Amino acid sequence: ASWGKSDTKELYRMIDDEKRIIEVEVIEGGLKDLGFDYLLIRAEIIEKDPQTTIVRSTVDYEIDDKLAHKVSLIKMECFQTAIEAIAKYLNTEK
């Protein structure tokens, strides 16, 4: 998978089909290569109506204070393809 500019390895911490939540920890590559000690992406799929789905996503991270300026490099656009795939998967599992 590719959460950032390089290949990454992820660990799926949680997939809850009923609550429609997924949590993925980046354990190698991607944004971890920029100095992040911990990086967890969480996506929750919320169906507003039959034609509208809302994706609430968060990123939890830990990084050395000296590298804190790199936090601004986290852009949800990096995760757009993965979040869309997650939403599609969870919508088919309802």
Side-chain angles (χ1 to χ4, degrees):
S2 184
W3 292 94
K5 291 186 177 185
S6 64
D7 288 336
T8 62
K9 290 184 182 178
E10 302 96 13
L11 179 60
Y12 286 78
R13 293 285 183 189
M14 177 179 55
I15 299 175
D16 188 325
D17 291 334
E18 185 177 318
K19 292 182 181 178
R20 302 171 70 184
I21 297 172
I22 189 166
E23 291 183 352
V24 180
E25 181 181 351
V26 178
I27 57 174
E28 187 177 300
L31 292 170
K32 289 275 290 191
D33 290 346
L34 297 176
F36 288 85
D37 297 317
Y38 174 77
L39 192 62
L40 180 84
I41 297 91
R42 182 176 196 269
E44 178 182 1
I45 311 305
I46 304 162
E47 186 176 323
K48 189 172 179 180
D49 59 50
Q51 289 78 36
T52 307
T53 300
I54 297 169
V55 178
R56 181 183 331 183
S57 53
T58 58
V59 178
D60 292 330
Y61 63 87
E62 292 178 11
I63 193 166
D64 186 285
D65 288 342
K66 295 175 187 168
L67 301 173
H69 63 281
K70 293 189 176 189
V71 171
S72 65
L73 298 175
I74 298 177
K75 306 259 188 268
M76 291 315 293
E77 292 83 17
C78 295
F79 311 113
Q80 185 70 30
T81 302
I83 290 171
E84 287 174 2
I86 291 165
K88 184 177 180 180
Y89 167 77
L90 291 174
N91 280 335
T92 60
E93 294 299 312
K94 60 180 175 172

Coordinates of all heavy atoms in Angstrom, one line a residue:
A1 N 0.8 -1.2 0.0 CA 0.0 0.0 0.0 C 0.9 1.2 0.0 O 2.1 1.2 0.3 CB -0.9 0.0 1.2
S2 N 0.3 2.4 -0.3 CA 1.1 3.6 -0.4 C 0.3 4.7 0.3 O -0.5 5.4 -0.3 CB 1.4 3.9 -1.8 OG 2.2 5.0 -1.9
W3 N 0.6 5.0 1.6 CA 0.0 6.1 2.3 C 0.7 7.4 2.0 O 0.2 8.5 2.3 CB 0.0 5.8 3.8 CG -0.8 4.7 4.2 CD1 -0.5 3.4 4.4 CD2 -2.2 4.8 4.5 NE1 -1.5 2.7 4.8 CE2 -2.6 3.5 4.9 CE3 -3.2 5.8 4.6 CZ2 -3.9 3.2 5.3 CZ3 -4.5 5.5 4.9 CH2 -4.8 4.2 5.3
G4 N 1.9 7.3 1.7 CA 2.8 8.5 1.4 C 3.5 8.4 0.1 O 3.0 7.7 -0.8
K5 N 4.7 8.9 0.0 CA 5.4 8.9 -1.3 C 6.1 7.6 -1.5 O 6.4 7.3 -2.6 CB 6.4 10.1 -1.3 CG 5.6 11.4 -1.4 CD 6.6 12.5 -1.6 CE 5.8 13.8 -1.8 NZ 6.7 15.0 -2.1
S6 N 6.4 6.9 -0.5 CA 7.1 5.6 -0.7 C 6.3 4.5 -0.2 O 5.2 4.6 0.4 CB 8.5 5.6 0.1 OG 8.2 5.7 1.5
D7 N 6.7 3.2 -0.6 CA 5.9 2.1 -0.1 C 5.9 2.0 1.4 O 6.9 2.4 2.0 CB 6.5 0.8 -0.7 CG 6.3 0.7 -2.2 OD1 5.3 1.3 -2.7 OD2 7.0 0.0 -2.9
T8 N 4.9 1.5 1.9 CA 4.7 1.4 3.4 C 4.3 0.0 3.8 O 3.8 -0.7 3.0 CB 3.7 2.4 3.9 OG1 2.4 2.1 3.4 CG2 4.0 3.9 3.6
K9 N 4.5 -0.2 5.1 CA 3.9 -1.4 5.7 C 3.0 -0.9 6.7 O 3.3 -0.1 7.5 CB 5.0 -2.3 6.3 CG 5.9 -2.9 5.3 CD 6.9 -3.9 5.9 CE 7.8 -4.5 4.9 NZ 8.8 -5.4 5.5
E10 N 1.8 -1.5 6.7 CA 0.8 -1.1 7.7 C 0.3 -2.3 8.6 O 0.4 -3.5 8.1 CB -0.5 -0.6 7.0 CG -0.3 0.6 6.1 CD -0.1 0.2 4.7 OE1 -0.4 -1.0 4.3 OE2 0.3 1.0 3.9
L11 N -0.1 -2.0 9.7 CA -0.7 -3.0 10.6 C -2.1 -2.6 10.9 O -2.4 -1.5 11.4 CB 0.1 -3.1 11.9 CG -0.4 -4.0 13.0 CD1 -0.4 -5.5 12.5 CD2 0.5 -3.9 14.2
Y12 N -3.1 -3.4 10.5 CA -4.5 -3.1 10.7 C -4.8 -3.4 12.2 O -4.8 -4.6 12.6 CB -5.4 -3.9 9.8 CG -5.3 -3.4 8.4 CD1 -4.2 -3.6 7.6 CD2 -6.3 -2.5 7.9 CE1 -4.1 -3.1 6.3 CE2 -6.2 -2.0 6.6 CZ -5.1 -2.3 5.8 OH -4.9 -1.7 4.6
R13 N -5.0 -2.3 12.9 CA -5.3 -2.5 14.4 C -6.7 -2.8 14.7 O -7.0 -3.5 15.6 CB -4.9 -1.1 15.1 CG -3.5 -0.8 15.1 CD -2.8 -1.7 16.1 NE -1.4 -1.4 16.2 CZ -0.6 -2.1 16.9 NH1 -1.0 -3.2 17.5 NH2 0.7 -1.8 16.9
M14 N -7.7 -2.3 13.8 CA -9.1 -2.6 14.1 C -9.8 -2.5 12.7 O -9.6 -1.5 12.0 CB -9.7 -1.6 15.1 CG -11.2 -1.8 15.3 SD -12.0 -0.8 16.4 CE -11.6 0.9 15.9
I15 N -10.7 -3.4 12.5 CA -11.7 -3.3 11.4 C -13.0 -3.7 12.1 O -13.2 -4.9 12.5 CB -11.4 -4.3 10.2 CG1 -10.0 -3.9 9.6 CG2 -12.5 -4.2 9.2 CD1 -9.6 -4.8 8.5
D16 N -13.9 -2.8 12.2 CA -15.2 -3.0 12.8 C -16.3 -2.8 11.8 O -16.6 -1.6 11.5 CB -15.4 -2.1 14.0 CG -16.6 -2.4 14.9 OD1 -17.6 -2.8 14.3 OD2 -16.6 -2.2 16.1
D17 N -16.7 -3.9 11.2 CA -17.7 -3.8 10.1 C -19.1 -3.2 10.7 O -19.7 -2.4 10.0 CB -18.0 -5.1 9.5 CG -16.8 -5.6 8.7 OD1 -16.0 -4.8 8.2 OD2 -16.7 -6.8 8.5
E18 N -19.4 -3.5 11.9 CA -20.7 -3.1 12.5 C -20.6 -1.5 12.7 O -21.6 -0.8 12.3 CB -21.0 -3.8 13.8 CG -22.3 -3.4 14.3 CD -22.6 -4.3 15.6 OE1 -22.3 -5.5 15.6 OE2 -23.2 -3.7 16.6
K19 N -19.6 -1.1 13.3 CA -19.5 0.4 13.6 C -18.9 1.1 12.4 O -18.9 2.4 12.4 CB -18.6 0.6 14.8 CG -19.2 0.2 16.1 CD -18.4 0.5 17.3 CE -19.0 0.0 18.6 NZ -18.1 0.2 19.7
R20 N -18.4 0.4 11.4 CA -17.8 0.9 10.2 C -16.6 1.8 10.5 O -16.5 3.0 10.1 CB -18.9 1.7 9.4 CG -20.0 0.7 9.0 CD -21.2 1.3 8.4 NE -20.9 1.8 7.1 CZ -21.7 2.5 6.4 NH1 -22.9 2.7 6.8 NH2 -21.3 2.9 5.2
I21 N -15.7 1.3 11.2 CA -14.5 2.0 11.6 C -13.3 1.1 11.3 O -13.3 -0.1 11.4 CB -14.4 2.2 13.1 CG1 -15.6 3.2 13.5 CG2 -13.1 2.8 13.6 CD1 -15.8 3.3 15.0
I22 N -12.2 1.7 10.8 CA -11.0 1.0 10.6 C -9.8 1.8 11.1 O -9.8 3.1 11.0 CB -10.8 0.7 9.1 CG1 -9.6 -0.2 8.8 CG2 -10.6 1.9 8.2 CD1 -9.5 -0.9 7.5
E23 N -8.8 1.2 11.7 CA -7.6 1.8 12.2 C -6.4 1.1 11.6 O -6.3 -0.1 11.7 CB -7.5 1.8 13.7 CG -8.6 2.7 14.4 CD -8.4 2.7 15.9 OE1 -7.6 1.9 16.5 OE2 -9.1 3.5 16.5
V24 N -5.5 1.9 11.1 CA -4.3 1.4 10.4 C -3.1 2.1 11.0 O -3.0 3.3 10.9 CB -4.4 1.5 8.9 CG1 -3.1 0.9 8.2 CG2 -5.6 0.9 8.3
E25 N -2.1 1.3 11.5 CA -0.9 1.9 12.0 C 0.2 1.8 10.9 O 0.4 0.7 10.4 CB -0.4 1.2 13.2 CG 0.9 1.8 13.8 CD 1.4 1.2 15.0 OE1 0.6 0.4 15.6 OE2 2.5 1.5 15.4
V26 N 0.8 2.8 10.5 CA 1.9 2.8 9.6 C 3.1 2.4 10.4 O 3.5 3.0 11.4 CB 2.2 4.1 8.9 CG1 3.3 4.1 8.0 CG2 0.9 4.6 8.2
I27 N 3.7 1.2 10.0 CA 4.9 0.7 10.8 C 6.2 0.9 10.1 O 7.2 0.7 10.7 CB 4.6 -0.8 11.3 CG1 4.4 -1.7 10.1 CG2 3.5 -0.8 12.2 CD1 4.3 -3.1 10.4
E28 N 6.2 1.1 8.8 CA 7.4 1.3 8.1 C 7.1 2.1 6.8 O 6.1 1.9 6.1 CB 8.0 -0.1 7.7 CG 9.3 -0.1 7.1 CD 9.8 -1.5 6.9 OE1 9.9 -2.3 7.9 OE2 10.1 -1.9 5.7
G29 N 8.1 2.9 6.4 CA 8.0 3.7 5.1 C 7.0 4.8 5.2 O 6.5 5.2 6.3
G30 N 6.8 5.4 4.0 CA 5.8 6.5 4.0 C 6.2 7.7 4.9 O 7.4 8.1 5.0
L31 N 5.2 8.2 5.6 CA 5.5 9.3 6.5 C 6.4 8.9 7.7 O 7.0 9.8 8.3 CB 4.2 9.8 7.1 CG 3.3 10.6 6.0 CD1 1.9 10.9 6.6 CD2 4.0 11.8 5.6
K32 N 6.5 7.6 8.0 CA 7.4 7.2 9.1 C 8.8 7.5 8.7 O 9.7 7.8 9.6 CB 7.3 5.7 9.3 CG 6.0 5.2 10.0 CD 6.1 5.3 11.5 CE 7.1 4.3 12.0 NZ 7.0 4.1 13.4
D33 N 9.1 7.5 7.4 CA 10.5 7.9 7.0 C 10.9 9.3 7.3 O 12.0 9.7 7.2 CB 10.6 7.6 5.5 CG 10.7 6.1 5.1 OD1 10.8 5.3 6.0 OD2 10.5 5.8 3.9
L34 N 9.9 10.2 7.5 CA 10.1 11.6 7.9 C 10.4 11.8 9.3 O 10.7 12.9 9.7 CB 8.9 12.4 7.5 CG 8.5 12.5 6.0 CD1 7.3 13.2 5.8 CD2 9.7 13.0 5.2
G35 N 10.4 10.7 10.1 CA 10.7 10.9 11.5 C 9.6 10.6 12.5 O 9.8 10.8 13.7
F36 N 8.4 10.3 12.1 CA 7.3 10.0 13.0 C 7.6 8.7 13.7 O 7.9 7.7 13.1 CB 6.0 9.9 12.2 CG 5.5 11.2 11.7 CD1 5.9 11.7 10.5 CD2 4.6 11.9 12.5 CE1 5.5 12.9 10.0 CE2 4.1 13.2 12.0 CZ 4.6 13.7 10.8
D37 N 7.5 8.7 15.0 CA 7.7 7.5 15.8 C 6.4 6.6 15.8 O 6.6 5.4 15.9 CB 8.0 7.9 17.3 CG 9.3 8.7 17.4 OD1 10.3 8.3 16.7 OD2 9.3 9.7 18.2
Y38 N 5.3 7.2 15.7 CA 4.0 6.5 15.7 C 3.1 7.2 14.8 O 3.0 8.5 14.8 CB 3.5 6.5 17.1 CG 2.1 5.9 17.3 CD1 1.9 4.6 17.3 CD2 1.0 6.8 17.5 CE1 0.6 4.0 17.4 CE2 -0.3 6.2 17.6 CZ -0.5 4.9 17.6 OH -1.7 4.4 17.8
L39 N 2.3 6.5 14.0 CA 1.4 7.1 13.1 C 0.2 6.1 12.9 O 0.3 5.0 12.4 CB 2.1 7.3 11.7 CG 1.4 8.2 10.7 CD1 1.2 9.6 11.2 CD2 2.2 8.2 9.4
L40 N -1.0 6.6 13.3 CA -2.2 5.8 13.2 C -3.3 6.5 12.5 O -3.6 7.7 12.9 CB -2.7 5.4 14.6 CG -4.0 4.5 14.7 CD1 -3.6 3.1 14.5 CD2 -4.7 4.7 16.0
I41 N -3.8 5.9 11.5 CA -4.9 6.6 10.7 C -6.2 5.8 11.0 O -6.3 4.6 11.1 CB -4.7 6.4 9.2 CG1 -3.4 7.2 8.8 CG2 -5.8 7.0 8.4 CD1 -2.2 6.4 8.8
R42 N -7.2 6.6 11.4 CA -8.5 6.1 11.8 C -9.6 6.7 10.8 O -9.6 7.9 10.6 CB -8.9 6.5 13.2 CG -10.2 5.9 13.7 CD -10.3 6.3 15.2 NE -11.3 5.5 15.8 CZ -12.6 5.8 15.9 NH1 -13.0 6.9 15.4 NH2 -13.5 5.0 16.5
A43 N -10.4 5.8 10.2 CA -11.5 6.3 9.4 C -12.8 5.7 9.9 O -12.9 4.5 10.2 CB -11.2 5.9 7.9
E44 N -13.8 6.5 10.0 CA -15.1 6.1 10.3 C -16.1 6.5 9.2 O -16.1 7.7 8.8 CB -15.6 6.8 11.6 CG -17.0 6.5 12.1 CD -17.4 7.2 13.4 OE1 -16.6 7.9 13.9 OE2 -18.5 6.9 13.8
I45 N -16.9 5.6 8.8 CA -17.8 5.8 7.7 C -19.2 6.1 8.3 O -19.7 5.3 9.0 CB -17.9 4.6 6.7 CG1 -16.5 4.2 6.3 CG2 -18.8 4.9 5.5 CD1 -15.6 5.2 5.7
I46 N -19.8 7.2 7.9 CA -21.1 7.6 8.5 C -22.0 7.8 7.3 O -21.8 8.7 6.4 CB -20.9 9.0 9.3 CG1 -19.9 8.8 10.4 CG2 -22.3 9.4 9.8 CD1 -19.4 10.1 11.0
E47 N -23.1 7.0 7.3 CA -24.1 7.2 6.2 C -25.1 8.3 6.6 O -25.8 8.1 7.6 CB -24.8 5.9 5.9 CG -25.7 6.0 4.7 CD -26.3 4.6 4.4 OE1 -25.7 3.6 4.6 OE2 -27.5 4.6 4.0
K48 N -25.1 9.3 5.8 CA -26.0 10.4 6.1 C -27.4 10.1 5.5 O -28.4 10.3 6.2 CB -25.4 11.7 5.5 CG -26.2 13.0 5.9 CD -25.5 14.2 5.4 CE -26.3 15.4 5.8 NZ -25.7 16.6 5.3
D49 N -27.4 9.6 4.3 CA -28.6 9.1 3.7 C -28.1 8.1 2.6 O -26.9 7.9 2.4 CB -29.4 10.3 3.1 CG -28.7 11.1 2.1 OD1 -28.1 10.6 1.1 OD2 -28.7 12.4 2.2
P50 N -29.1 7.5 1.9 CA -28.6 6.4 0.9 C -27.7 6.9 -0.2 O -26.9 6.1 -0.7 CB -30.0 6.0 0.3 CG -31.0 6.2 1.4 CD -30.5 7.5 2.0
Q51 N -27.6 8.2 -0.5 CA -26.7 8.7 -1.5 C -25.5 9.4 -0.9 O -24.6 9.8 -1.7 CB -27.5 9.7 -2.4 CG -28.5 9.0 -3.4 CD -29.8 8.7 -2.7 OE1 -30.2 9.4 -1.8 NE2 -30.4 7.6 -3.0
T52 N -25.4 9.6 0.4 CA -24.4 10.5 0.9 C -23.7 9.7 2.1 O -24.3 9.2 3.0 CB -24.9 11.8 1.5 OG1 -25.7 12.4 0.5 CG2 -23.8 12.7 2.0
T53 N -22.4 9.6 1.9 CA -21.5 9.0 3.0 C -20.5 10.0 3.4 O -19.9 10.7 2.6 CB -20.8 7.7 2.4 OG1 -21.8 6.8 2.0 CG2 -20.0 7.1 3.5
I54 N -20.3 10.1 4.7 CA -19.3 11.0 5.3 C -18.2 10.2 5.8 O -18.5 9.1 6.5 CB -19.9 11.9 6.4 CG1 -21.0 12.8 5.9 CG2 -18.9 12.7 7.1 CD1 -21.9 13.5 7.0
V55 N -17.0 10.6 5.6 CA -15.8 9.9 6.1 C -15.2 10.8 7.1 O -14.7 11.9 6.8 CB -14.8 9.5 5.0 CG1 -13.6 8.8 5.7 CG2 -15.4 8.6 4.0
R56 N -15.2 10.4 8.4 CA -14.5 11.1 9.4 C -13.1 10.5 9.7 O -13.1 9.3 10.0 CB -15.3 11.1 10.7 CG -14.6 11.9 11.8 CD -15.4 11.9 13.1 NE -16.8 11.7 12.9 CZ -17.7 11.7 13.9 NH1 -17.4 11.8 15.1 NH2 -19.0 11.5 13.6
S57 N -12.1 11.2 9.4 CA -10.7 10.6 9.5 C -9.9 11.4 10.4 O -10.0 12.6 10.5 CB -10.1 10.4 8.2 OG -10.1 11.6 7.5
T58 N -9.0 10.7 11.2 CA -8.1 11.3 12.1 C -6.7 10.6 11.9 O -6.6 9.5 11.5 CB -8.5 11.2 13.6 OG1 -8.7 9.9 13.9 CG2 -9.8 12.0 13.8
V59 N -5.7 11.4 12.3 CA -4.4 10.8 12.3 C -3.8 11.1 13.7 O -3.7 12.3 14.1 CB -3.5 11.5 11.2 CG1 -2.1 11.0 11.3 CG2 -4.1 11.3 9.9
D60 N -3.4 10.1 14.4 CA -2.7 10.2 15.7 C -1.2 9.9 15.4 O -0.9 9.0 14.6 CB -3.2 9.1 16.7 CG -4.6 9.4 17.1 OD1 -5.1 10.6 17.2 OD2 -5.3 8.4 17.4
Y61 N -0.4 10.7 16.0 CA 1.0 10.6 15.8 C 1.9 11.0 17.0 O 1.4 11.7 17.9 CB 1.4 11.5 14.6 CG 1.2 12.9 14.8 CD1 2.2 13.7 15.4 CD2 0.0 13.6 14.5 CE1 2.0 15.1 15.7 CE2 -0.2 14.9 14.8 CZ 0.8 15.6 15.4 OH 0.6 17.0 15.6
E62 N 3.1 10.5 16.9 CA 4.1 11.0 17.9 C 5.4 11.3 17.1 O 5.7 10.5 16.1 CB 4.5 9.8 18.9 CG 3.3 9.5 19.8 CD 3.7 8.4 20.8 OE1 4.8 8.0 20.9 OE2 2.7 7.9 21.5
I63 N 6.0 12.4 17.4 CA 7.2 12.8 16.7 C 8.1 13.6 17.7 O 7.6 14.3 18.6 CB 6.9 13.6 15.4 CG1 8.1 13.8 14.5 CG2 6.2 14.9 15.8 CD1 7.7 14.3 13.1
D64 N 9.4 13.5 17.5 CA 10.3 14.3 18.3 C 10.0 15.8 18.1 O 9.7 16.2 17.0 CB 11.7 13.9 17.9 CG 12.8 14.6 18.8 OD1 13.0 15.8 18.7 OD2 13.4 13.8 19.6
D65 N 10.1 16.5 19.2 CA 9.9 18.0 19.2 C 10.7 18.7 18.2 O 10.3 19.7 17.5 CB 10.1 18.6 20.6 CG 9.0 18.2 21.6 OD1 8.0 17.8 21.2 OD2 9.3 18.4 22.8
K66 N 11.9 18.2 17.9 CA 12.8 18.8 16.9 C 12.3 18.7 15.5 O 12.7 19.4 14.6 CB 14.2 18.2 17.1 CG 14.9 18.5 18.4 CD 16.2 17.8 18.5 CE 16.8 18.0 19.9 NZ 17.9 17.2 20.1
L67 N 11.4 17.7 15.3 CA 10.9 17.4 14.0 C 9.4 17.9 13.8 O 8.8 17.6 12.8 CB 11.0 16.0 13.6 CG 12.4 15.4 13.7 CD1 12.4 13.9 13.5 CD2 13.3 16.0 12.6
A68 N 8.9 18.6 14.9 CA 7.5 18.9 14.9 C 7.0 19.7 13.7 O 5.9 19.6 13.2 CB 7.2 19.7 16.2
H69 N 7.9 20.4 13.0 CA 7.6 21.2 11.8 C 7.1 20.3 10.7 O 6.4 20.7 9.8 CB 8.8 22.1 11.4 CG 10.0 21.3 11.0 ND1 10.8 20.7 11.9 CD2 10.4 20.9 9.7 CE1 11.8 20.1 11.2 NE2 11.6 20.2 9.9
K70 N 7.5 19.0 10.7 CA 7.1 18.1 9.7 C 5.6 17.6 9.8 O 5.1 17.0 8.9 CB 8.0 16.8 9.7 CG 9.4 17.2 9.3 CD 10.3 16.0 9.1 CE 11.7 16.4 8.6 NZ 12.4 15.3 8.2
V71 N 5.0 18.0 10.9 CA 3.6 17.6 11.1 C 2.7 18.2 10.0 O 1.8 17.7 9.5 CB 3.1 18.0 12.5 CG1 1.6 17.8 12.6 CG2 3.8 17.2 13.6
S72 N 3.1 19.4 9.6 CA 2.4 20.1 8.5 C 2.4 19.3 7.2 O 1.6 19.6 6.3 CB 2.9 21.5 8.3 OG 4.2 21.5 7.8
L73 N 3.3 18.3 7.1 CA 3.4 17.5 5.8 C 2.3 16.5 5.8 O 2.0 15.9 4.7 CB 4.7 16.8 5.8 CG 5.9 17.8 5.7 CD1 7.2 17.0 5.7 CD2 5.9 18.6 4.4
I74 N 1.6 16.2 6.9 CA 0.5 15.3 6.9 C -0.7 16.0 6.3 O -1.2 17.0 6.8 CB 0.1 14.8 8.3 CG1 1.3 14.1 9.0 CG2 -1.1 13.9 8.3 CD1 1.0 13.7 10.4
K75 N -1.1 15.5 5.1 CA -2.3 16.0 4.4 C -3.2 14.9 4.2 O -2.8 13.8 3.8 CB -1.8 16.6 3.1 CG -0.8 17.6 3.2 CD -1.3 19.0 3.1 CE -0.2 20.1 3.0 NZ 0.2 20.6 4.2
M76 N -4.5 15.1 4.4 CA -5.4 14.0 4.2 C -5.5 13.5 2.8 O -5.9 12.4 2.5 CB -6.8 14.4 4.8 CG -6.9 14.5 6.3 SD -6.1 13.2 7.2 CE -7.1 11.8 6.8
E77 N -5.0 14.4 1.9 CA -5.0 14.0 0.5 C -4.1 12.7 0.3 O -4.3 11.9 -0.6 CB -4.5 15.1 -0.4 CG -5.4 16.3 -0.5 CD -5.3 17.2 0.6 OE1 -4.3 17.2 1.4 OE2 -6.2 18.0 0.8
C78 N -3.1 12.6 1.1 CA -2.2 11.4 1.1 C -3.0 10.1 1.3 O -2.6 9.1 0.8 CB -1.1 11.5 2.1 SG 0.1 12.8 2.0
F79 N -4.0 10.2 2.0 CA -4.8 9.1 2.4 C -6.1 8.9 1.6 O -6.9 8.0 1.8 CB -5.2 9.1 3.9 CG -4.0 9.4 4.8 CD1 -3.9 10.6 5.4 CD2 -2.9 8.5 4.9 CE1 -2.8 10.9 6.2 CE2 -1.8 8.8 5.7 CZ -1.8 10.0 6.3
Q80 N -6.3 9.8 0.7 CA -7.6 9.8 -0.1 C -8.0 8.5 -0.7 O -9.1 8.0 -0.6 CB -7.6 11.0 -1.1 CG -8.9 11.2 -1.9 CD -9.9 11.8 -1.0 OE1 -9.6 12.5 -0.1 NE2 -11.2 11.4 -1.2
T81 N -7.0 7.9 -1.5 CA -7.3 6.7 -2.1 C -7.6 5.6 -1.2 O -8.6 4.8 -1.3 CB -6.1 6.3 -3.0 OG1 -5.9 7.3 -4.0 CG2 -6.4 5.0 -3.8
A82 N -6.9 5.5 -0.1 CA -7.1 4.4 0.9 C -8.4 4.6 1.6 O -9.2 3.7 1.8 CB -5.9 4.4 1.9
I83 N -8.7 5.9 2.0 CA -10.0 6.2 2.6 C -11.2 5.8 1.7 O -12.2 5.2 2.2 CB -10.1 7.6 3.1 CG1 -9.1 7.8 4.3 CG2 -11.5 8.0 3.5 CD1 -8.9 9.2 4.7
E84 N -11.1 6.1 0.4 CA -12.2 5.8 -0.5 C -12.3 4.3 -0.6 O -13.4 3.8 -0.7 CB -11.9 6.4 -1.9 CG -12.1 7.9 -1.9 CD -11.7 8.6 -3.2 OE1 -11.2 7.8 -4.1 OE2 -11.7 9.8 -3.3
A85 N -11.2 3.6 -0.6 CA -11.3 2.1 -0.7 C -11.9 1.5 0.6 O -12.7 0.6 0.6 CB -9.9 1.5 -0.9
I86 N -11.6 2.1 1.7 CA -12.1 1.7 3.0 C -13.6 2.0 3.0 O -14.4 1.1 3.4 CB -11.5 2.4 4.2 CG1 -10.0 1.9 4.3 CG2 -12.2 2.2 5.5 CD1 -9.1 2.8 5.2
A87 N -14.0 3.1 2.6 CA -15.5 3.5 2.5 C -16.2 2.5 1.6 O -17.3 2.0 2.0 CB -15.6 4.9 2.1
K88 N -15.6 2.2 0.5 CA -16.3 1.3 -0.4 C -16.4 -0.1 0.2 O -17.5 -0.7 0.1 CB -15.5 1.2 -1.7 CG -16.2 0.3 -2.8 CD -15.4 0.3 -4.1 CE -16.0 -0.6 -5.1 NZ -15.3 -0.6 -6.4
Y89 N -15.4 -0.6 0.9 CA -15.4 -1.9 1.5 C -16.5 -1.9 2.6 O -17.3 -2.8 2.7 CB -14.1 -2.2 2.1 CG -14.1 -3.4 3.1 CD1 -14.2 -4.7 2.6 CD2 -14.1 -3.2 4.5 CE1 -14.3 -5.7 3.5 CE2 -14.2 -4.2 5.4 CZ -14.3 -5.5 4.9 OH -14.4 -6.6 5.7
L90 N -16.5 -0.9 3.5 CA -17.4 -0.9 4.6 C -18.8 -0.7 4.1 O -19.8 -1.2 4.7 CB -17.0 0.2 5.6 CG -15.7 -0.1 6.4 CD1 -15.3 1.1 7.3 CD2 -15.8 -1.3 7.2
N91 N -19.0 0.1 3.1 CA -20.4 0.2 2.5 C -20.9 -1.1 1.9 O -22.1 -1.3 2.0 CB -20.4 1.3 1.5 CG -20.5 2.7 2.1 OD1 -20.9 2.9 3.2 ND2 -20.0 3.7 1.4
T92 N -20.1 -1.9 1.4 CA -20.6 -3.2 0.9 C -20.8 -4.2 2.0 O -21.5 -5.2 1.8 CB -19.6 -3.8 -0.1 OG1 -18.3 -4.1 0.5 CG2 -19.4 -2.9 -1.3
E93 N -20.3 -4.0 3.2 CA -20.4 -4.9 4.3 C -21.6 -4.6 5.2 O -21.8 -5.3 6.2 CB -19.1 -4.9 5.2 CG -17.9 -5.4 4.5 CD -18.1 -6.9 4.1 OE1 -18.5 -7.7 5.0 OE2 -17.8 -7.2 2.9
K94 N -22.3 -3.5 4.9 CA -23.4 -3.1 5.8 C -24.6 -4.0 5.7 O -24.8 -4.8 4.8 CB -23.8 -1.7 5.6 CG -24.3 -1.3 4.3 CD -24.6 0.2 4.3 CE -25.0 0.6 2.8 NZ -25.5 1.9 2.7

